[in-house]
Amino acid sequence: MTLYEKSISNLQEVKARDGIVIAVVTEGDHLARGTADHVIEIPAAPELIAPILEHVPLQLLAYHISVRRGCDVDQPRNLAKSVTVE
């Protein structure tokens, strides 16, 4: 079983347990689109570049969810603001 097939199986399991699925899919991916409640589509890209394209919309999603929840996204707690050098 490929990684893609395992991911689709995991999406179906989440749906079976009444979970909400937000999926980042490549253009033309109809199988994942049919399983997910919400879809973020990215263009097709080489395997080594795809993770970069996937992270940009996920970072924006996390930012907007934090803002809607009322979190202060500019001042996260417990964030080291200095670089330590050994």
Side-chain angles (χ1 to χ4, degrees), residues 3-4 6 13 17 19-20 22-23 28-29 31 33-34 36-38 43 51-54 56 61 67 72 74 79 83:
L3 182 59
Y4 177 78
K6 288 179 182 179
E13 188 172 331
R17 297 179 183 191
I20 297 173
I22 302 172
D29 185 346
L31 187 56
R33 182 182 299 275
D37 296 304
H38 305 281
I52 297 168
L53 295 177
E54 293 165 0
V56 172
L61 177 64
V67 168
D72 185 358
D74 292 325
L79 179 66
V83 176

Side-chain angles (χ1 to χ4, degrees), residues 1 6-7 9 12 14 19 21 40 43 46 50-51 54 58-59 63 65 67 78 81:
M1 182 179 276
K6 288 179 182 179
S7 296
S9 175
Q12 292 168 342
V14 169
V21 176
I40 300 170
E54 293 165 0
L58 292 174
Q59 287 289 325
Y63 169 79
I65 289 172
V67 168
N78 302 323
K81 302 210 185 290

Side-chain angles (χ1 to χ4, degrees), residues 64-79:
H64 288 288
I65 289 172
S66 297
V67 168
R68 288 188 68 131
R69 290 183 65 210
C71 297
D72 185 358
V73 294
D74 292 325
Q75 296 294 326
R77 289 181 293 199
N78 302 323
L79 179 66

Side-chain angles (χ1 to χ4, degrees), residues 25-27 41-45 53:
V25 301
T26 305
E27 289 176 326
E41 191 173 75
I42 61 170
L53 295 177

